[in-house]
Amino acid sequence: MKNDNCSRRLRGFACTSALALVIACANGDPYTVVESSGRTGASAGSASGANAGTSGEPSGAANGSSTGIGGAASGAGSGTADIPDANAGTDATPAGGSDAAIAGGYDSSASDPGTQGDGDRVLNGPFRAAPEFTRGAGVPQGTSFRFVIPNSTIFPKAPARAVAVYVPSQYKAGTPAPVMVYQDGTNFYGFDTAIPPVLDNLIAKGSIPVMVAVFASNGGGDAVGSERGLEYDTVSGLYAEWADKELLPAVEKQSQTSLPKQAVTFTHDPEGRGSVGGSSGGAGSFGMVWWHPDLFRRVITFSGTYVNQVPVNSPFPHGCWVYHDVDPYNMAAPNGLIVQHCESATNPFAGSSNPGPCDTPLSKTTCEAVTGCQWNTQVNKPIRIWHESGTNDLGAGGAPGTYRNFDLANQRMAASFKLRGYHYHYDHAIGAGHVDGGAWHQTFPEAMIWVWRGYQGPK
């Protein structure tokens, strides 16, 4: 089916859904290591997934090896589901008339790439690493460098933070570079060593833009009460602000020393900026695009923590569960922030770092009781999301009332995107565990191709 009636403009907040009407982050003395982008970590195709963790971090196991998925951009493989033609409506344009009014002027553009690869898909194991994890013969090899950000203004309790940066060989200094920010980038999953060869291959083929990858370590600890939990699991846009105001400027500055011939300048076009993460890093990645689509708009998550993992006094007591569902739980259809939410009536398109009075009301009545707020059941945010969860994910089988079933949470996220007519792709991996190494190594290259569809690069 084609979603032509919902002529989504990714450069503006667009796409209404008729069906939705029914539901009426300073530099110091960094150490620097310049290295090739050759993967030096554990085998990308490893099915053992040596990622042990706590409270929502990788349980380890990738479940064997499988046939790869063909047709990255097309979503071929076990079949991408068509979305019912329930999404009709008119485009909306931000106050001020254009994205330039939001972000101060862009150096690139994006178009609606259509619905190819959108929808839900079932992945059957055993899983197998995609061939792109091995750099092809003759493929130009990018360069990586590492440094430390010693402190933070936005997250003052965070320790010194390790950062790895990949710069493709094709990048020319001074060009506004698209970027993906990888949460837990030097922790847990081996993103910083496994992913550069993939980027080398995809960039060489022209499958994705010439882009920089920034792998940022987390703030330490895990789950409720930890710095990592504060950064990733908090339902807010504060982490996106840290990435924009502290992380990316620190990378630009360090690149002048570590890689002067390819000193990096990042695009300020949110269409050219995205995020990737697993588990809580996935939740943090999604929060970047949801709360700050004026800064980031493309996201990939694996076993995202769209569950309750916040202190009891949080503005949203059930944490990231609120993205897809609020009480009372409605089995028939999700009813969380993605489907319907409160927002500022005067500037609904502005990003939000901390939830304010127009962000926290969870019903139309309480929203409209606050001066200057409006209830949104129609206008979508200009974001693209690819996400995955497994049938053996954390909390699998748990009732909705536990607010801790990761697999159910991701299914409900997908149902929410579908209901509102978002560009989304959801993989339900049969037999896969939490941030399953086999599943994400199989699908990451095509996820990158899909999530960057429509981006047209610097002008």
Side-chain angles (χ1 to χ4, degrees):
M1 126 326 133
K2 294 195 187 230
N3 218 1
D4 295 333
N5 289 331
C6 187
S7 55
R8 193 186 322 252
R9 287 177 52 199
L10 291 180
R11 298 186 64 215
F13 285 67
C15 186
T16 60
S17 170
L19 183 57
L21 294 175
V22 179
I23 305 282
C25 332
N27 266 328
D29 297 316
Y31 74 87
T32 302
V33 180
V34 179
E35 61 187 14
S36 79
S37 67
R39 182 166 54 84
T40 58
S43 169
S46 172
S48 62
N51 297 318
T54 60
S55 183
E57 282 339 293
S59 55
N63 297 292
S65 301
S66 92
T67 56
I69 303 170
S74 66
S78 49
T80 303
D82 284 341
I83 301 175
D85 196 6
N87 305 306
T90 59
D91 287 351
T93 302
S98 71
D99 276 352
I102 302 173
Y106 295 163
D107 46 38
S108 75
S109 62
S111 63
D112 183 350
T115 60
Q116 186 180 44
D118 290 17
D120 304 324
R121 180 175 65 177
V122 173
L123 292 181
N124 291 297
F127 307 115
R128 178 177 299 158
E132 288 87 353
F133 279 91
T134 300
R135 185 181 300 101
V139 169
Q141 182 171 336
T143 302
S144 295
F145 64 89
R146 297 175 183 268
F147 71 108
V148 168
I149 298 177
N151 49 49
S152 170
T153 300
I154 292 174
F155 295 117
K157 295 182 179 180
R161 191 187 305 264
V163 179
V165 182
Y166 160 89
V167 181
S169 66
Q170 297 91 336
Y171 176 71
K172 299 185 185 306
T175 304
V179 62
M180 287 290 261
V181 178
Y182 294 74
Q183 281 49 254
D184 296 312
T186 65
N187 318 99
F188 303 137
Y189 313 115
F191 285 159
D192 55 332
T193 55
I195 287 174
V198 177
L199 302 181
D200 285 339
N201 286 321
L202 295 181
I203 291 170
K205 290 191 292 186
S207 299
I208 61 173
V210 176
M211 70 172 66
V212 175
V214 176
F215 305 93
S217 66
N218 62 60
D222 187 28
V224 178
S226 70
E227 183 66 26
R228 179 174 182 267
L230 172 66
E231 295 171 2
Y232 294 165
D233 294 321
T234 300
V235 186
S236 79
L238 197 60
Y239 185 79
E241 184 181 337
W242 172 81
D244 177 63
K245 289 181 167 52
E246 297 190 21
L247 175 63
L248 297 184
V251 171
E252 289 181 326
K253 183 177 180 180
Q254 184 60 40
S255 72
Q256 295 171 11
T257 300
S258 297
L259 203 61
K261 292 184 179 180
Q262 287 186 289
V264 173
T265 301
F266 290 115
T267 181
H268 290 282
D269 176 4
E271 290 287 358
R273 309 207 303 183
S275 54
V276 180
S279 194
S280 291
S285 294
F286 180 72
M288 293 168 72
V289 304
W290 180 260
W291 295 102
H292 267 298
D294 55 326
L295 300 177
F296 300 90
R297 293 189 179 177
R298 303 171 189 271
V299 59
I300 300 170
T301 78
F302 301 99
S303 297
T305 305
Y306 305 120
V307 301
N308 183 9
Q309 193 157 285
V310 294
V312 294
N313 61 345
S314 297
F316 299 104
H318 296 147
C320 292
W321 189 269
V322 76
Y323 286 128
H324 50 85
D325 285 287
V326 299
D327 289 339
Y329 184 84
N330 179 5
M331 186 176 295
N335 59 357
L337 299 184
I338 295 167
V339 173
Q340 50 190 8
H341 61 269
C342 194
E343 64 188 14
S344 168
T346 57
N347 195 7
F349 311 106
S352 177
S353 294
N354 287 301
C358 287
D359 297 314
T360 53
L362 298 179
S363 72
K364 185 175 187 291
T365 300
T366 56
C367 174
E368 294 179 344
V370 183
T371 302
C373 302
Q374 67 183 12
W375 191 241
N376 183 348
T377 61
Q378 300 180 59
V379 182
N380 286 354
K381 303 194 179 192
I383 62 178
R384 292 176 66 82
I385 177 170
W386 175 295
H387 65 123
E388 174 271 345
S389 65
T391 57
N392 291 334
D393 222 311
L394 297 180
T402 66
Y403 309 105
R404 289 288 297 170
N405 184 332
F406 283 62
D407 192 35
L408 175 62
N410 275 273
Q411 292 178 61
R412 299 289 283 188
M413 291 287 283
S416 301
F417 296 129
K418 183 174 185 176
L419 184 59
R420 282 294 293 263
Y422 275 92
H423 281 306
Y424 82 98
H425 176 104
Y426 171 58
D427 280 339
H428 195 212
I430 307 303
H434 189 59
V435 195
D436 193 292
W440 81 258
H441 279 95
Q442 176 167 308
T443 61
F444 178 74
E446 65 169 334
M448 283 291 288
I449 294 171
W450 181 89
V451 84
W452 282 95
R453 292 186 67 222
Y455 180 70
Q456 297 175 355
K459 294 177 180 177

